[in-house]
Amino acid sequence: MDSDGSRIAHARRLASDFLIEVREAHSVPVLTATVEIAQLIVSELATNARKYAPGPAVLHLRIIGGMLEIELRDSSPVLPASKAPNPERVGQHGLEIVTSLARRVTIEATPLGKRVIAVIALGES
């Protein structure tokens, strides 16, 4: 993905297409709600990368067992941190959203920036 905002929508479509392919071509049970959750997580991660990282971002989607691993790498060395919940705060809720939807979220520094991995179950809403 590059810095063009249309890449966020493209990343959402990639996630959806990937999960539909997994369901239809490989007979892996994937709920429609799981597709929607994956799209939201991808959208939040891609938006944050576009907003805060100066360079390109890379999206990887993997199926491991009954789980979807969503990995986004970007060029920013700054690791995101969740803020205390505040319904009056405008914006900066992305990590809160991802954390609330995923079974597990891992954030780690890499030599070229960072990577964020969110894991969700394929067959549960």
Side-chain angles (χ1 to χ4, degrees):
M1 299 184 322
D2 60 23
S3 62
D4 180 356
S6 68
R7 299 296 184 177
I8 297 165
H10 181 68
R12 289 174 56 89
R13 278 192 308 279
L14 285 174
S16 175
D17 292 349
F18 176 78
L19 289 171
I20 290 168
E21 175 77 11
V22 164
R23 179 174 53 206
E24 293 177 1
H26 303 285
S27 301
V28 174
V30 178
L31 297 175
T32 300
T34 302
V35 175
E36 293 167 353
I37 289 168
Q39 287 182 300
L40 181 53
I41 289 173
V42 165
S43 181
E44 292 297 332
L45 295 178
T47 297
N48 287 344
R50 181 177 184 267
K51 187 173 182 179
Y52 299 111
V58 177
L59 175 67
H60 291 279
L61 303 169
R62 294 178 197 87
I63 303 297
I64 301 173
M67 308 298 272
L68 169 65
E69 183 178 276
I70 301 166
E71 176 184 338
L72 193 119
R73 291 178 180 249
D74 69 42
S75 60
S76 174
V78 178
L79 303 182
S82 289
K83 298 183 183 297
N86 179 351
E88 295 179 14
R89 182 177 68 237
V90 176
Q92 299 183 345
H93 293 281
L95 190 56
E96 286 176 62
I97 293 168
V98 171
T99 302
S100 71
L101 294 172
R103 288 270 183 100
R104 182 176 71 248
V105 177
T106 305
I107 302 167
E108 53 193 26
T110 67
L112 300 175
K114 71 174 165 301
R115 72 178 177 172
V116 180
I117 300 171
V119 177
I120 62 173
L122 291 174
E124 298 176 18
S125 57

